[in-house]
Amino acid sequence: MIINRPPMGWNSWNTFGENINEKVVMETADFIVESGLKDCGYEYVIIDDCWSLRERNEKGEIVPDPEKFPHGMKYVADYIHSKGLKFGMYSCAGTLTCARYPGSYDHEFVDAKCFAEWEIDYLKYDFCFHPHSTFGHFLYKRMALALANCGRDIVLAACSWGDENTKTWIKETGAHTWRSTGDINDSWESIKRLAQEQMQVTEYNGNGCYNDMDMLVVGMNGEGNVALTGCTKEEYKTHFAYWAMMGSPLIIGCDLRKADADAMEILKNKMLIEIDQDEAYRQPFYINGGRYFNKSRTANEPLYEYYPLDAPILVRFLANGDLAIGAFNFRDRKENLFAQLDSIGLGECTGKTLEMTSVWTGETKKVTNGTILLELEPHSCEVYRARVVDK
Ligand code: GLA
């Protein structure tokens, strides 16, 4: 089975950690439908770690914790499916999961059979407690084969955080997504670190097996399992926009039932979702290597500096001939960025320019003098969908 778009949905880990149960999961499914998030494309409802008992049963199967999931997993799956959504679960390539529940090591085919019987649609597959006598690629291949032969279409979302040079072998395994970053937490520093790490691995991203930058923290506001300081609205906007520019899976991590208006506005941004899900799925490139005009320079500093990691401008060629252009300021001071249309392929001789529509305000402006000029507040971003037009 193949998938042709980065998955979108919700996962329990960022907010609930160990405190999950069928009520939370089913209420979240209700909310996804009622709030219109389903219509925006969010479809997977994923239970992360901590859903099972600590021991397998006598048949060697993993058993859902009856206190957390009193009606079993098929019941939850049926409910989620009745809402027109898809159901995701979690296991681990090691002997134990990261939170020390049973992992699927040496039980891959037994577990895949259970998952198929419960009618799950997606399996996040972690990498804690894997025996060091074997390699990650063997373990992901095992589970991929088990799923591919379980009689049901199940997305395999590998989660080995880039360890053992995952990028070089993950496509062989049959995984549909792979975690190309470490774990996120709800802070600006974490968002910045993951964003910058991702710049090193964009060439490994592509249709069929998507780079996964980890679940979103938009709307957590400093509360929940991976909460730290929380972020400002501007920072959550930058986070979501960057994940969309990179074409990451968009998996919400906040308690949706308590999500505030700012979070919903960000998570529902139609133009960004369209960029994320663009069918051509080309990778972004950096124009001018993120070179920016150092307006606040001191006498000894150069007029222009190269900080592609700190203030990148990313461009993505979309399926219908439009472009997505995203400028991001990861620095703590205001920045003035500029980029020449020449570096996008629209040199002077083409007679063409861009008409750019802001994904945040919907305002449209035409680029003049062959140069895009942007002033960005600290931690903010501007993202546009641009159309090629006559000058
Ligand atoms: C790892 C993963 C996280 C989460 C936890 C659960 O750290 O990277 O996304 O699934 O395990 O224990």
Side-chain angles (χ1 to χ4, degrees), residues 60-62 109-120 150:
E61 296 162 342
I62 309 186
F109 280 78
V110 176
D111 291 352
K113 186 167 170 280
C114 274
F115 294 141
E117 281 167 9
W118 295 338
E119 298 192 1
I120 79 165
C150 73

Side-chain angles (χ1 to χ4, degrees), residues 10-12 14-16 28 215-221 223 251-260 263-264 267:
W10 174 88
N11 173 301
S12 59
N14 280 2
T15 294
F16 297 96
T28 301
M215 284 102 54
L216 301 167
V217 292
V218 176
M220 287 186 64
N221 300 326
E223 278 178 36
I251 309 288
I252 299 167
C254 66
D255 183 350
L256 275 174
R257 303 165 309 171
K258 295 186 192 155
D260 60 22
M264 292 305 285
L267 295 169

Side-chain angles (χ1 to χ4, degrees), residues 34 59 150 161 188 233 300 312 366:
E34 283 155 21
K59 286 194 256 167
C150 73
W161 329 292
W188 170 248
K233 179 178 183 186
N300 296 329
K366 204 165 169 176

Side-chain angles (χ1 to χ4, degrees), residues 15-273:
T15 294
F16 297 96
E18 204 152 13
N19 301 316
I20 38 165
N21 54 56
E22 69 177 28
K23 183 168 180 284
V24 166
V25 175
M26 287 159 66
E27 284 180 4
T28 301
D30 292 344
F31 186 87
I32 290 174
V33 176
E34 283 155 21
S35 63
L37 284 169
K38 175 171 180 257
D39 295 333
C40 297
Y42 296 93
E43 59 175 345
Y44 291 95
V45 178
I46 304 161
I47 300 174
D48 207 279
D49 205 348
C50 312
W51 56 266
S52 75
L53 291 178
R54 299 271 178 189
E55 302 292 336
R56 288 174 178 270
N57 65 17
E58 64 288 351
K59 286 194 256 167
E61 296 162 342
I62 309 186
V63 185
D65 183 331
E67 289 200 356
K68 294 175 180 171
F69 297 96
H71 301 90
M73 286 307 179
K74 177 73 168 59
Y75 173 84
V76 181
D78 286 347
Y79 188 79
I80 289 172
H81 291 149
S82 76
K83 299 264 151 185
L85 298 169
K86 294 181 175 167
F87 180 38
M89 288 191 69
Y90 165 101
S91 189
C92 183
T95 50
L96 296 172
T97 70
C98 297
R100 296 176 173 265
Y101 290 81
S104 288
Y105 179 75
D106 257 356
H107 294 80
E108 290 84 355
F109 280 78
V110 176
D111 291 352
K113 186 167 170 280
C114 274
F115 294 141
E117 281 167 9
W118 295 338
E119 298 192 1
I120 79 165
D121 306 293
Y122 174 111
L123 181 71
K124 173 172 170 179
Y125 205 48
D126 220 330
F127 200 43
C128 286
F129 296 102
H130 57 280
H132 291 284
S133 51
T134 184
F135 293 107
H137 71 99
F138 288 128
L139 301 178
Y140 283 92
K141 280 171 184 155
R142 269 201 220 166
M143 186 46 102
L145 278 178
L147 292 178
N149 291 281
C150 73
R152 186 173 171 84
D153 283 344
I154 299 178
V155 171
L156 175 55
C159 180
S160 57
W161 329 292
D163 275 18
E164 295 186 13
N165 222 1
T166 311
K167 58 181 185 281
T168 60
W169 48 261
I170 195 64
K171 287 196 167 66
E172 298 163 3
T173 69
H176 301 93
T177 66
W178 69 285
R179 266 281 295 284
S180 49
T181 61
D183 281 14
I184 197 164
N185 58 52
D186 183 23
S187 71
W188 170 248
E189 282 313 310
S190 173
I191 289 167
K192 179 176 165 180
R193 180 172 50 79
L194 267 47
Q196 295 184 338
E197 270 175 39
Q198 188 61 23
M199 290 183 204
Q200 327 292 325
V201 290
T202 50
E203 68 267 38
Y204 295 91
N205 201 357
N207 266 332
C209 184
Y210 303 103
N211 288 17
D212 171 2
M213 296 180 65
D214 205 0
M215 284 102 54
L216 301 167
V217 292
V218 176
M220 287 186 64
N221 300 326
E223 278 178 36
N225 186 40
V226 304
L228 281 182
T229 49
C231 300
T232 64
K233 179 178 183 186
E234 208 54 44
E235 291 166 348
Y236 283 140
K237 283 168 72 178
T238 300
H239 165 39
F240 188 77
Y242 194 88
W243 266 232
M245 276 302 291
M246 286 295 187
S248 176
L250 298 176
I251 309 288
I252 299 167
C254 66
D255 183 350
L256 275 174
R257 303 165 309 171
K258 295 186 192 155
D260 60 22
D262 287 348
M264 292 305 285
E265 183 192 321
I266 296 170
L267 295 169
K268 283 184 167 182
N269 188 293
K270 192 166 179 283
M271 289 179 77
L272 282 172
I273 291 172

Side-chain angles (χ1 to χ4, degrees), residues 367-388:
V367 178
T368 51
N369 298 328
T371 309
I372 299 168
L373 291 167
L374 296 167
E375 193 176 88
L376 293 183
E377 295 296 326
H379 305 186
S380 78
C381 73
E382 291 293 348
V383 182
Y384 301 91
R385 184 161 184 129
R387 225 161 46 92
V388 178

